[in-house]
Amino acid sequence: MSEVKKQLAALSMYERAILMFCLHAYFSSGNYTNKLPLGEMLPDVAAIFDVNPSVNVFAKLTTLQISTPNDAQTLVNVFESMTYEKTGQQLVTVLNKQADLKTLLKAVDD
């Protein structure tokens, strides 16, 4: 768990908020794919994507890793993908089905 806490501590306030949104949305809906209204929540960040959609503003989020529920030694990325939809200014995230999302949610909510 301490490795997860280290990774979480390195996240920016924006990255942590996005991670919390995605995890809570998953646990309330069961959907691994989420559309975050970036234009409403973080208009300054959405403006960066509007100018350059290929910029990786959330590099630490895209490389965030956690173990699988059945094997603490196997690390997987938390997100399978993270893309920006200019129409609607939405960040589309897909959580990794193999990641131990319950453990991650506990660590994020602490």
Short mmCIF file of all heavy atoms in Angstrom, two decimals, residues 22-80:
data_model
loop_
_atom_site.label_atom_id
_atom_site.label_comp_id
_atom_site.label_asym_id
_atom_site.label_seq_id
_atom_site.Cartn_x
_atom_site.Cartn_y
_atom_site.Cartn_z
N CYS A 22 -13.32 9.57 -11.17
CA CYS A 22 -13.42 8.33 -11.95
C CYS A 22 -13.72 7.12 -11.07
O CYS A 22 -14.56 6.29 -11.41
CB CYS A 22 -12.14 8.09 -12.74
SG CYS A 22 -11.86 9.32 -14.03
N LEU A 23 -13.05 7.03 -9.94
CA LEU A 23 -13.29 5.89 -9.03
C LEU A 23 -14.70 5.93 -8.44
O LEU A 23 -15.39 4.90 -8.42
CB LEU A 23 -12.25 5.88 -7.91
CG LEU A 23 -10.84 5.49 -8.33
CD1 LEU A 23 -9.86 5.70 -7.17
CD2 LEU A 23 -10.78 4.05 -8.81
N HIS A 24 -15.12 7.09 -8.00
CA HIS A 24 -16.47 7.18 -7.42
C HIS A 24 -17.54 6.94 -8.48
O HIS A 24 -18.56 6.30 -8.20
CB HIS A 24 -16.66 8.52 -6.70
CG HIS A 24 -15.97 8.57 -5.38
ND1 HIS A 24 -16.50 8.02 -4.23
CD2 HIS A 24 -14.77 9.10 -5.01
CE1 HIS A 24 -15.66 8.20 -3.22
NE2 HIS A 24 -14.61 8.85 -3.66
N ALA A 25 -17.31 7.43 -9.69
CA ALA A 25 -18.26 7.19 -10.78
C ALA A 25 -18.34 5.70 -11.09
O ALA A 25 -19.43 5.16 -11.30
CB ALA A 25 -17.84 7.98 -12.03
N TYR A 26 -17.19 5.03 -11.09
CA TYR A 26 -17.17 3.58 -11.36
C TYR A 26 -17.95 2.83 -10.27
O TYR A 26 -18.80 1.99 -10.57
CB TYR A 26 -15.75 3.04 -11.44
CG TYR A 26 -15.71 1.54 -11.31
CD1 TYR A 26 -16.19 0.73 -12.34
CD2 TYR A 26 -15.25 0.93 -10.15
CE1 TYR A 26 -16.21 -0.66 -12.22
CE2 TYR A 26 -15.25 -0.45 -10.03
CZ TYR A 26 -15.73 -1.24 -11.05
OH TYR A 26 -15.75 -2.60 -10.92
N PHE A 27 -17.68 3.12 -9.00
CA PHE A 27 -18.33 2.37 -7.93
C PHE A 27 -19.82 2.70 -7.80
O PHE A 27 -20.58 1.89 -7.27
CB PHE A 27 -17.59 2.57 -6.60
CG PHE A 27 -16.35 1.72 -6.51
CD1 PHE A 27 -15.10 2.28 -6.69
CD2 PHE A 27 -16.44 0.35 -6.33
CE1 PHE A 27 -13.95 1.49 -6.64
CE2 PHE A 27 -15.30 -0.45 -6.28
CZ PHE A 27 -14.06 0.12 -6.44
N SER A 28 -20.25 3.84 -8.30
CA SER A 28 -21.69 4.13 -8.25
C SER A 28 -22.42 3.62 -9.50
O SER A 28 -23.61 3.36 -9.45
CB SER A 28 -21.94 5.62 -8.05
OG SER A 28 -21.46 6.36 -9.14
N SER A 29 -21.70 3.45 -10.62
CA SER A 29 -22.38 3.06 -11.86
C SER A 29 -21.97 1.68 -12.39
O SER A 29 -22.72 1.07 -13.14
CB SER A 29 -22.09 4.09 -12.96
OG SER A 29 -20.72 3.99 -13.37
N GLY A 30 -20.75 1.25 -12.05
CA GLY A 30 -20.24 -0.01 -12.59
C GLY A 30 -19.61 0.15 -13.97
O GLY A 30 -19.13 -0.81 -14.55
N ASN A 31 -19.59 1.38 -14.49
CA ASN A 31 -18.99 1.64 -15.80
C ASN A 31 -17.50 1.94 -15.66
O ASN A 31 -17.13 2.82 -14.88
CB ASN A 31 -19.67 2.83 -16.50
CG ASN A 31 -21.09 2.54 -16.87
OD1 ASN A 31 -21.45 1.40 -17.13
ND2 ASN A 31 -21.92 3.57 -16.89
N TYR A 32 -16.69 1.25 -16.44
CA TYR A 32 -15.25 1.51 -16.43
C TYR A 32 -14.92 2.77 -17.21
O TYR A 32 -13.89 3.39 -17.00
CB TYR A 32 -14.48 0.32 -17.02
CG TYR A 32 -14.44 -0.87 -16.09
CD1 TYR A 32 -15.37 -1.89 -16.19
CD2 TYR A 32 -13.48 -0.96 -15.09
CE1 TYR A 32 -15.34 -2.98 -15.33
CE2 TYR A 32 -13.44 -2.04 -14.22
CZ TYR A 32 -14.38 -3.05 -14.35
OH TYR A 32 -14.35 -4.12 -13.49
N THR A 33 -15.80 3.16 -18.14
CA THR A 33 -15.59 4.36 -18.95
C THR A 33 -16.35 5.53 -18.34
O THR A 33 -17.52 5.41 -18.00
CB THR A 33 -16.09 4.13 -20.40
OG1 THR A 33 -15.38 3.02 -20.94
CG2 THR A 33 -15.85 5.36 -21.26
N ASN A 34 -15.65 6.65 -18.18
CA ASN A 34 -16.26 7.85 -17.62
C ASN A 34 -15.97 9.04 -18.51
O ASN A 34 -14.89 9.13 -19.10
CB ASN A 34 -15.68 8.16 -16.23
CG ASN A 34 -16.07 7.13 -15.22
OD1 ASN A 34 -17.22 7.05 -14.84
ND2 ASN A 34 -15.11 6.31 -14.79
N LYS A 35 -16.92 9.95 -18.59
CA LYS A 35 -16.73 11.20 -19.32
C LYS A 35 -16.76 12.33 -18.29
O LYS A 35 -17.80 12.64 -17.72
CB LYS A 35 -17.81 11.40 -20.37
CG LYS A 35 -17.69 10.41 -21.51
CD LYS A 35 -18.62 10.74 -22.64
CE LYS A 35 -18.35 9.81 -23.80
NZ LYS A 35 -19.00 10.25 -25.03
N LEU A 36 -15.59 12.87 -18.05
CA LEU A 36 -15.43 13.93 -17.06
C LEU A 36 -15.63 15.28 -17.75
O LEU A 36 -14.96 15.56 -18.74
CB LEU A 36 -14.02 13.84 -16.47
CG LEU A 36 -13.67 14.83 -15.40
CD1 LEU A 36 -13.74 14.13 -14.05
CD2 LEU A 36 -12.29 15.38 -15.60
N PRO A 37 -16.54 16.12 -17.25
CA PRO A 37 -16.79 17.42 -17.88
C PRO A 37 -15.66 18.41 -17.58
O PRO A 37 -15.79 19.29 -16.75
CB PRO A 37 -18.12 17.86 -17.27
CG PRO A 37 -18.16 17.17 -15.93
CD PRO A 37 -17.40 15.88 -16.10
N LEU A 38 -14.54 18.22 -18.26
CA LEU A 38 -13.34 19.00 -17.99
C LEU A 38 -13.57 20.49 -18.20
O LEU A 38 -13.06 21.31 -17.45
CB LEU A 38 -12.20 18.51 -18.89
CG LEU A 38 -10.78 18.76 -18.42
CD1 LEU A 38 -10.53 18.15 -17.07
CD2 LEU A 38 -9.78 18.24 -19.42
N GLY A 39 -14.36 20.84 -19.24
CA GLY A 39 -14.64 22.25 -19.51
C GLY A 39 -15.36 22.95 -18.36
O GLY A 39 -15.15 24.13 -18.12
N GLU A 40 -16.19 22.20 -17.64
CA GLU A 40 -16.91 22.76 -16.49
C GLU A 40 -16.05 22.73 -15.23
O GLU A 40 -16.02 23.69 -14.47
CB GLU A 40 -18.19 21.97 -16.22
CG GLU A 40 -19.23 22.07 -17.30
CD GLU A 40 -20.40 21.12 -17.05
OE1 GLU A 40 -20.69 20.81 -15.88
OE2 GLU A 40 -21.01 20.70 -18.05
N MET A 41 -15.38 21.60 -15.01
CA MET A 41 -14.62 21.43 -13.77
C MET A 41 -13.28 22.18 -13.78
O MET A 41 -12.90 22.77 -12.79
CB MET A 41 -14.38 19.95 -13.50
CG MET A 41 -15.64 19.18 -13.17
SD MET A 41 -15.36 17.42 -12.97
CE MET A 41 -14.34 17.36 -11.52
N LEU A 42 -12.57 22.06 -14.89
CA LEU A 42 -11.23 22.66 -14.99
C LEU A 42 -11.09 23.38 -16.34
O LEU A 42 -10.39 22.90 -17.24
CB LEU A 42 -10.16 21.57 -14.86
CG LEU A 42 -10.19 20.71 -13.60
CD1 LEU A 42 -9.27 19.53 -13.73
CD2 LEU A 42 -9.81 21.55 -12.39
N PRO A 43 -11.76 24.52 -16.50
CA PRO A 43 -11.74 25.19 -17.81
C PRO A 43 -10.35 25.56 -18.30
O PRO A 43 -10.09 25.52 -19.51
CB PRO A 43 -12.61 26.43 -17.60
CG PRO A 43 -12.84 26.55 -16.14
CD PRO A 43 -12.55 25.22 -15.52
N ASP A 44 -9.44 25.89 -17.38
CA ASP A 44 -8.08 26.23 -17.80
C ASP A 44 -7.36 25.03 -18.41
O ASP A 44 -6.62 25.15 -19.38
CB ASP A 44 -7.27 26.83 -16.64
CG ASP A 44 -7.29 25.97 -15.39
OD1 ASP A 44 -8.26 25.20 -15.20
OD2 ASP A 44 -6.34 26.06 -14.57
N VAL A 45 -7.58 23.85 -17.85
CA VAL A 45 -6.98 22.63 -18.39
C VAL A 45 -7.63 22.26 -19.71
O VAL A 45 -6.94 21.86 -20.66
CB VAL A 45 -7.07 21.47 -17.37
CG1 VAL A 45 -6.51 20.19 -17.96
CG2 VAL A 45 -6.35 21.82 -16.08
N ALA A 46 -8.93 22.41 -19.81
CA ALA A 46 -9.64 22.14 -21.07
C ALA A 46 -9.11 23.04 -22.18
O ALA A 46 -8.96 22.60 -23.32
CB ALA A 46 -11.14 22.32 -20.89
N ALA A 47 -8.80 24.29 -21.84
CA ALA A 47 -8.27 25.23 -22.84
C ALA A 47 -6.92 24.75 -23.37
O ALA A 47 -6.63 24.90 -24.56
CB ALA A 47 -8.14 26.62 -22.22
N ILE A 48 -6.11 24.15 -22.52
CA ILE A 48 -4.81 23.60 -22.96
C ILE A 48 -5.05 22.49 -23.98
O ILE A 48 -4.40 22.43 -25.02
CB ILE A 48 -4.00 23.07 -21.75
CG1 ILE A 48 -3.59 24.22 -20.84
CG2 ILE A 48 -2.77 22.29 -22.22
CD1 ILE A 48 -3.02 23.78 -19.50
N PHE A 49 -5.98 21.59 -23.68
CA PHE A 49 -6.31 20.50 -24.60
C PHE A 49 -6.91 21.02 -25.91
O PHE A 49 -6.66 20.47 -26.96
CB PHE A 49 -7.30 19.51 -23.96
CG PHE A 49 -6.64 18.50 -23.06
CD1 PHE A 49 -6.92 18.48 -21.71
CD2 PHE A 49 -5.76 17.55 -23.57
CE1 PHE A 49 -6.34 17.54 -20.88
CE2 PHE A 49 -5.18 16.61 -22.76
CZ PHE A 49 -5.46 16.60 -21.40
N ASP A 50 -7.72 22.07 -25.81
CA ASP A 50 -8.33 22.64 -27.02
C ASP A 50 -7.25 23.12 -27.99
O ASP A 50 -7.38 22.95 -29.20
CB ASP A 50 -9.27 23.79 -26.67
CG ASP A 50 -10.59 23.32 -26.09
OD1 ASP A 50 -10.94 22.12 -26.26
OD2 ASP A 50 -11.28 24.14 -25.45
N VAL A 51 -6.19 23.71 -27.45
CA VAL A 51 -5.10 24.21 -28.29
C VAL A 51 -4.24 23.06 -28.81
O VAL A 51 -3.84 23.04 -29.96
CB VAL A 51 -4.23 25.21 -27.48
CG1 VAL A 51 -2.98 25.60 -28.25
CG2 VAL A 51 -5.05 26.45 -27.14
N ASN A 52 -3.95 22.09 -27.93
CA ASN A 52 -3.09 20.97 -28.31
C ASN A 52 -3.62 19.67 -27.70
O ASN A 52 -3.23 19.29 -26.60
CB ASN A 52 -1.65 21.23 -27.85
CG ASN A 52 -0.69 20.15 -28.31
OD1 ASN A 52 -1.07 19.20 -28.96
ND2 ASN A 52 0.57 20.31 -27.94
N PRO A 53 -4.52 18.97 -28.40
CA PRO A 53 -5.15 17.76 -27.85
C PRO A 53 -4.18 16.62 -27.53
O PRO A 53 -4.49 15.75 -26.75
CB PRO A 53 -6.13 17.32 -28.94
CG PRO A 53 -6.27 18.48 -29.85
CD PRO A 53 -5.03 19.32 -29.72
N SER A 54 -2.98 16.65 -28.10
CA SER A 54 -2.04 15.55 -27.87
C SER A 54 -1.14 15.78 -26.65
O SER A 54 -0.37 14.91 -26.27
CB SER A 54 -1.17 15.32 -29.11
OG SER A 54 -0.37 16.47 -29.34
N VAL A 55 -1.25 16.96 -26.02
CA VAL A 55 -0.42 17.25 -24.85
C VAL A 55 -0.83 16.31 -23.71
O VAL A 55 -2.00 15.98 -23.55
CB VAL A 55 -0.53 18.73 -24.43
CG1 VAL A 55 -1.89 19.05 -23.85
CG2 VAL A 55 0.55 19.10 -23.44
N ASN A 56 0.16 15.85 -22.95
CA ASN A 56 -0.14 14.93 -21.85
C ASN A 56 -0.08 15.69 -20.52
O ASN A 56 0.92 15.66 -19.81
CB ASN A 56 0.87 13.76 -21.86
CG ASN A 56 0.43 12.65 -20.94
OD1 ASN A 56 -0.55 12.77 -20.20
ND2 ASN A 56 1.14 11.55 -20.95
N VAL A 57 -1.18 16.37 -20.21
CA VAL A 57 -1.26 17.17 -18.99
C VAL A 57 -1.27 16.28 -17.74
O VAL A 57 -0.77 16.66 -16.70
CB VAL A 57 -2.53 18.06 -19.02
CG1 VAL A 57 -2.70 18.83 -17.72
CG2 VAL A 57 -2.48 19.00 -20.20
N PHE A 58 -1.81 15.09 -17.88
CA PHE A 58 -1.97 14.20 -16.73
C PHE A 58 -1.04 12.99 -16.82
O PHE A 58 -1.45 11.85 -16.66
CB PHE A 58 -3.43 13.75 -16.63
CG PHE A 58 -4.39 14.90 -16.58
CD1 PHE A 58 -5.34 15.06 -17.57
CD2 PHE A 58 -4.35 15.82 -15.55
CE1 PHE A 58 -6.23 16.12 -17.53
CE2 PHE A 58 -5.23 16.89 -15.51
CZ PHE A 58 -6.18 17.04 -16.50
N ALA A 59 0.24 13.24 -17.05
CA ALA A 59 1.22 12.17 -17.24
C ALA A 59 1.29 11.22 -16.04
O ALA A 59 1.37 10.00 -16.21
CB ALA A 59 2.60 12.77 -17.52
N LYS A 60 1.21 11.76 -14.84
CA LYS A 60 1.30 10.90 -13.65
C LYS A 60 0.08 10.00 -13.51
O LYS A 60 0.18 8.88 -13.02
CB LYS A 60 1.49 11.74 -12.39
CG LYS A 60 2.85 12.40 -12.33
CD LYS A 60 2.97 13.28 -11.11
CE LYS A 60 4.20 14.13 -11.20
NZ LYS A 60 4.04 15.40 -10.54
N LEU A 61 -1.07 10.49 -13.97
CA LEU A 61 -2.28 9.66 -13.92
C LEU A 61 -2.20 8.52 -14.92
O LEU A 61 -2.61 7.40 -14.63
CB LEU A 61 -3.52 10.50 -14.26
CG LEU A 61 -4.32 11.08 -13.11
CD1 LEU A 61 -5.58 11.74 -13.62
CD2 LEU A 61 -4.65 10.06 -12.06
N THR A 62 -1.69 8.82 -16.11
CA THR A 62 -1.64 7.78 -17.15
C THR A 62 -0.63 6.69 -16.81
O THR A 62 -0.75 5.58 -17.31
CB THR A 62 -1.32 8.38 -18.54
OG1 THR A 62 -0.09 9.09 -18.47
CG2 THR A 62 -2.42 9.29 -19.01
N THR A 63 0.33 6.99 -15.93
CA THR A 63 1.32 5.97 -15.55
C THR A 63 1.08 5.41 -14.15
O THR A 63 1.84 4.57 -13.69
CB THR A 63 2.75 6.55 -15.61
OG1 THR A 63 2.84 7.67 -14.73
CG2 THR A 63 3.11 6.97 -17.03
N LEU A 64 0.02 5.85 -13.49
CA LEU A 64 -0.32 5.35 -12.16
C LEU A 64 -0.57 3.84 -12.21
O LEU A 64 -1.30 3.36 -13.07
CB LEU A 64 -1.57 6.07 -11.64
CG LEU A 64 -2.05 5.74 -10.23
CD1 LEU A 64 -1.03 6.22 -9.20
CD2 LEU A 64 -3.39 6.41 -9.97
N GLN A 65 0.07 3.12 -11.29
CA GLN A 65 -0.07 1.66 -11.27
C GLN A 65 -0.50 1.16 -9.90
O GLN A 65 -0.20 1.76 -8.88
CB GLN A 65 1.25 0.98 -11.65
CG GLN A 65 1.66 1.20 -13.08
CD GLN A 65 2.83 0.32 -13.46
OE1 GLN A 65 3.75 0.12 -12.68
NE2 GLN A 65 2.79 -0.21 -14.66
N ILE A 66 -1.19 0.03 -9.93
CA ILE A 66 -1.60 -0.66 -8.70
C ILE A 66 -1.62 -2.16 -9.00
O ILE A 66 -1.67 -2.56 -10.16
CB ILE A 66 -2.98 -0.16 -8.19
CG1 ILE A 66 -3.22 -0.67 -6.76
CG2 ILE A 66 -4.09 -0.56 -9.13
CD1 ILE A 66 -4.27 0.10 -6.00
N SER A 67 -1.62 -2.94 -7.94
CA SER A 67 -1.64 -4.40 -8.12
C SER A 67 -3.02 -4.87 -8.57
O SER A 67 -4.00 -4.13 -8.52
CB SER A 67 -1.25 -5.09 -6.81
OG SER A 67 -2.18 -4.77 -5.80
N THR A 68 -3.06 -6.11 -8.99
CA THR A 68 -4.33 -6.73 -9.33
C THR A 68 -4.93 -7.30 -8.03
O THR A 68 -4.19 -7.55 -7.08
CB THR A 68 -4.15 -7.87 -10.36
OG1 THR A 68 -3.33 -8.88 -9.78
CG2 THR A 68 -3.51 -7.35 -11.64
N PRO A 69 -6.24 -7.51 -7.97
CA PRO A 69 -6.85 -8.02 -6.73
C PRO A 69 -6.34 -9.40 -6.32
O PRO A 69 -6.30 -9.72 -5.14
CB PRO A 69 -8.35 -8.08 -7.05
CG PRO A 69 -8.55 -7.22 -8.23
CD PRO A 69 -7.25 -7.20 -8.97
N ASN A 70 -5.93 -10.21 -7.28
CA ASN A 70 -5.53 -11.59 -6.97
C ASN A 70 -4.03 -11.78 -6.81
O ASN A 70 -3.60 -12.84 -6.38
CB ASN A 70 -6.03 -12.53 -8.08
CG ASN A 70 -7.54 -12.47 -8.21
OD1 ASN A 70 -8.23 -12.29 -7.22
ND2 ASN A 70 -8.04 -12.61 -9.41
N ASP A 71 -3.23 -10.76 -7.17
CA ASP A 71 -1.78 -10.92 -7.12
C ASP A 71 -1.13 -9.59 -6.80
O ASP A 71 -1.01 -8.72 -7.66
CB ASP A 71 -1.27 -11.46 -8.46
CG ASP A 71 0.23 -11.71 -8.47
OD1 ASP A 71 0.88 -11.52 -7.42
OD2 ASP A 71 0.75 -12.08 -9.53
N ALA A 72 -0.68 -9.43 -5.56
CA ALA A 72 -0.10 -8.17 -5.11
C ALA A 72 1.23 -7.86 -5.82
O ALA A 72 1.69 -6.72 -5.80
CB ALA A 72 0.11 -8.21 -3.61
N GLN A 73 1.86 -8.86 -6.43
CA GLN A 73 3.14 -8.65 -7.11
C GLN A 73 2.98 -8.13 -8.54
O GLN A 73 3.92 -7.59 -9.11
CB GLN A 73 3.95 -9.96 -7.13
CG GLN A 73 4.21 -10.56 -5.77
CD GLN A 73 4.90 -9.58 -4.82
OE1 GLN A 73 5.88 -8.97 -5.18
NE2 GLN A 73 4.36 -9.44 -3.62
N THR A 74 1.82 -8.33 -9.12
CA THR A 74 1.58 -7.91 -10.50
C THR A 74 1.01 -6.50 -10.53
O THR A 74 -0.07 -6.26 -10.00
CB THR A 74 0.59 -8.88 -11.20
OG1 THR A 74 1.12 -10.20 -11.13
CG2 THR A 74 0.37 -8.49 -12.64
N LEU A 75 1.76 -5.58 -11.14
CA LEU A 75 1.30 -4.20 -11.25
C LEU A 75 0.70 -3.94 -12.63
O LEU A 75 1.23 -4.41 -13.63
CB LEU A 75 2.45 -3.23 -11.02
CG LEU A 75 3.04 -3.21 -9.61
CD1 LEU A 75 4.20 -2.22 -9.54
CD2 LEU A 75 1.98 -2.83 -8.58
N VAL A 76 -0.38 -3.21 -12.65
CA VAL A 76 -1.04 -2.82 -13.91
C VAL A 76 -1.35 -1.33 -13.85
O VAL A 76 -1.48 -0.75 -12.77
CB VAL A 76 -2.34 -3.63 -14.16
CG1 VAL A 76 -2.04 -5.10 -14.37
CG2 VAL A 76 -3.34 -3.43 -13.05
N ASN A 77 -1.50 -0.72 -15.01
CA ASN A 77 -1.92 0.68 -15.06
C ASN A 77 -3.35 0.80 -14.56
O ASN A 77 -4.18 -0.07 -14.83
CB ASN A 77 -1.83 1.23 -16.47
CG ASN A 77 -0.40 1.47 -16.91
OD1 ASN A 77 0.51 1.55 -16.08
ND2 ASN A 77 -0.19 1.57 -18.20
N VAL A 78 -3.65 1.87 -13.85
CA VAL A 78 -5.00 2.11 -13.34
C VAL A 78 -5.93 2.46 -14.51
O VAL A 78 -7.06 2.01 -14.57
CB VAL A 78 -5.01 3.24 -12.29
CG1 VAL A 78 -6.42 3.66 -11.93
CG2 VAL A 78 -4.24 2.79 -11.06
N PHE A 79 -5.41 3.24 -15.46
CA PHE A 79 -6.21 3.64 -16.62
C PHE A 79 -5.76 2.90 -17.87
O PHE A 79 -4.58 2.85 -18.18
CB PHE A 79 -6.09 5.15 -16.87
CG PHE A 79 -6.74 5.99 -15.82
CD1 PHE A 79 -6.00 6.51 -14.77
CD2 PHE A 79 -8.10 6.25 -15.86
CE1 PHE A 79 -6.61 7.28 -13.79
CE2 PHE A 79 -8.72 7.01 -14.89
CZ PHE A 79 -7.96 7.53 -13.85
N GLU A 80 -6.73 2.34 -18.59
CA GLU A 80 -6.43 1.73 -19.89
C GLU A 80 -6.20 2.84 -20.91
O GLU A 80 -5.34 2.73 -21.77
CB GLU A 80 -7.59 0.84 -20.36
CG GLU A 80 -7.57 -0.51 -19.73
CD GLU A 80 -8.63 -1.43 -20.31
OE1 GLU A 80 -9.17 -1.16 -21.40
OE2 GLU A 80 -8.93 -2.43 -19.65
#
